[in-house]
Amino acid sequence: MGPAACHAGCDAVTRLDVRRPALRHTLVRQPAPARRAGLTWPRLPAAAEVAITGAGYLAYALVRLAVRAGRHAAFAHAAELWRAERWLHLDVEPSLNHLVAASPALAEATGYHYGLLHFIVTPLVLGWLYLRRPSAFPRLRSALVLATGAANIVFWTWPVAPPRYSVPGMTDILVSHHVLGAADPHGPGRLVNLYAAMPSLHVAWATWCAVAVITATRSRWRHLAWLYPSATVLVVLASANHFLLDVAGGLAVLGLGLLGTAGNSAGPATVTEEPAPGRTRPAGAHRR
């Protein structure tokens, strides 16, 4: 074969290589389909959220009012908790209560913290989440509702008298310092269930507020939010409204709420084998 023929043959091979589609594949990561996050329901319009929140709090109040807790059962359960705490050497309530009762300023601060912040901070955090952290709102709101619902079940089935009634020598801080009309027999104190000490919703809601701030923000100062539930724990014990085991119960119902709403909004990415441009996928090709 002469040089001309060889040159023509090489040109033909070169043209064939150019026309040949590329055989390499490109691996493309695609997100898996979204999964439902436990018992979380989606963010609703503001009016609906306000209505649901109001209805939920009304139900919470009605359950507390409707409980026909026998005095004997409530005091018997309180005595069981108190015996358990003394056996475990966790009976810190009298020491804290006597310390606070000896200082009028400290007693009033404790009483107003207990009587007000519970109903102010939680709605403010809910509103902030709804307006400024809409992606975090559904799960955190759902966890709060579930925790409150679980607490209502305990209130209904296992009434407990607070230490201010069931432990000798304890001072009722709110009554002794006339905080928010607690000493008035016709005041707001008569509207609550006096035997709903277990679990402590004050602690559950305060801890929820800290969890919401910490998980929904990236500020270097966000962990200071733990100061609020820490102070609330001291307040509920020093005011003689809850046992230490009630505090543990509040943390437990919040844990149930967070666990019930746990889950990823989207699954892990999957790897899909895609052909390079110019190559069609063979029939029956599967994703890897």
Side-chain angles (χ1 to χ4, degrees), residues 188-208:
R190 65 188 179 88
L191 300 177
V192 300
N193 175 20
L194 299 177
Y195 304 138
M198 167 64 82
S200 171
L201 270 185
H202 279 73
V203 172
W205 287 10
T207 306
W208 175 88

Side-chain angles (χ1 to χ4, degrees), residues 81-226:
L81 293 180
W82 184 236
R83 282 195 299 269
E85 286 193 1
R86 297 185 66 184
W87 182 73
L88 294 170
H89 302 287
L90 298 176
D91 49 334
V92 299
E93 298 88 343
S95 299
L96 291 173
N97 180 252
H98 298 158
L99 176 66
V100 169
S103 170
L106 193 55
E108 288 195 11
T110 297
Y112 282 105
H113 182 125
Y114 183 86
L116 290 179
L117 293 191
H118 182 57
F119 303 107
I120 295 175
V121 177
T122 309
L124 287 178
V125 174
L126 269 173
W128 169 74
L129 287 172
Y130 185 87
L131 296 174
R132 304 300 298 272
R133 298 293 187 273
S135 62
F137 175 81
R139 186 202 170 191
L140 289 167
R141 178 258 284 125
S142 303
L144 180 65
V145 172
L146 291 175
T148 304
N152 279 331
I153 293 174
V154 180
F155 294 157
W156 186 279
T157 59
W158 210 71
V160 175
R164 67 181 189 269
Y165 292 152
S166 57
V167 177
M170 301 287 275
T171 300
D172 190 333
I173 297 295
L174 276 73
V175 170
S176 63
H177 289 79
H178 306 280
V179 176
L180 300 174
D184 185 355
H186 302 291
R190 65 188 179 88
L191 300 177
V192 300
N193 175 20
L194 299 177
Y195 304 138
M198 167 64 82
S200 171
L201 270 185
H202 279 73
V203 172
W205 287 10
T207 306
W208 175 88
C209 291
V211 170
V213 171
I214 291 169
T215 58
T217 63
R218 291 295 177 265
S219 169
R220 69 175 64 182
W221 306 105
R222 66 187 185 278
H223 291 288
L224 291 177
W226 288 120

